[in-house]
Amino acid sequence: MDKSNSSVVSEFVLLGLCSSQKLQLFYFCFFSVLYTVIVLGNLLIILTVTSDTSLHSPMYFLLGNLSFVDICQASFATPKMIADFLVEHKTISFDARLAQIFFVHLFTDSEMVLLVSMAYDRYVAICKPPHYMTIMSCCVCVVLVLISWFVGFIHTTSQLAFTVNLPFCGPNKVDSFFL
């Protein structure tokens, strides 16, 4: 069996949310503002956590990393979706779609493990307050963040390793704005 993807479909045509130009302009403005607020809000959290020395604790270190993951998660496909509101022929290549699948799984998996790490941090702070700084040292926090990225990468790679070689045959028109 050939190891490369022998897909018949080379690109997908996204039909979008609607066909009305006025409504698409509204969606463009709405999602642009929403995306800007998400990125700026998370950048503000990161900037605040890194610049204020009173926030240099495990909880805020993990919160800053969560904000970074949220920026990544919002930025891997949203700009293309927003730009597609301005064009009539919305397409995405098969390879770009695989990249989207990779990044959506990487960032969501990393975020889930990071949230578990944050829950562990709060557990230690509540249940073992005298030992908190010993248990949740700087090294432990860095390891927890690295584990979240590692688990996300391994989970994503294991899923894509099986699906990338499968043939995709069928209609390439998708009734969606985001594939």
Side-chain angles (χ1 to χ4, degrees):
M1 183 172 173
D2 187 17
K3 291 288 183 186
S4 66
N5 193 325
S6 59
S7 298
V8 174
V9 174
S10 62
E11 69 178 10
F12 296 99
V13 177
L14 306 174
L15 298 178
L17 291 175
C18 66
S19 58
S20 167
Q21 285 292 1
K22 287 182 181 180
L23 202 51
Q24 286 192 13
L25 186 60
F26 169 75
Y27 286 147
F28 171 79
C29 294
F30 178 74
F31 285 115
S32 295
V33 168
L34 193 63
Y35 174 69
T36 303
V37 168
I38 289 169
V39 171
L40 290 178
N42 281 307
L43 281 175
L44 181 63
I45 291 172
I46 292 170
L47 185 66
T48 304
V49 167
T50 55
S51 64
D52 189 353
T53 56
S54 66
L55 299 178
H56 290 178
S57 68
M59 179 176 73
Y60 292 108
F61 175 77
L62 295 172
L63 180 65
N65 281 283
L66 182 65
S67 291
F68 175 73
V69 171
D70 284 343
I71 290 173
C72 294
Q73 200 168 19
S75 297
F76 79 91
T78 306
K80 179 179 176 8
M81 180 196 73
I82 291 170
D84 278 349
F85 286 123
L86 298 177
V87 297
E88 191 163 328
H89 188 66
K90 303 161 185 45
T91 61
I92 185 169
S93 70
F94 190 82
D95 292 337
R97 178 57 191 139
L98 286 178
Q100 278 188 347
I101 291 171
F102 176 83
F103 287 118
V104 74
H105 284 278
L106 175 68
F107 297 138
T108 54
D109 293 346
S110 297
E111 183 176 36
M112 285 186 289
V113 176
L114 196 55
L115 287 170
V116 169
S117 300
M118 293 174 81
Y120 175 71
D121 171 66
R122 293 297 83 201
Y123 164 77
V124 172
I126 293 168
C127 295
K128 301 182 186 275
H131 304 290
Y132 178 73
M133 291 312 291
T134 306
I135 296 171
M136 292 301 295
S137 67
C138 181
C139 291
V140 170
C141 290
V142 170
V143 166
L144 288 174
V145 169
L146 291 175
I147 287 173
S148 74
W149 284 102
F150 181 74
V151 167
F153 180 77
I154 293 299
H155 182 256
T156 302
T157 306
S158 66
Q159 284 189 342
L160 278 182
F162 294 113
T163 59
V164 75
N165 292 325
L166 295 175
F168 183 86
C169 302
N172 68 337
K173 292 187 180 186
V174 181
D175 189 19
S176 178
F177 63 94
F178 173 78
L179 182 61

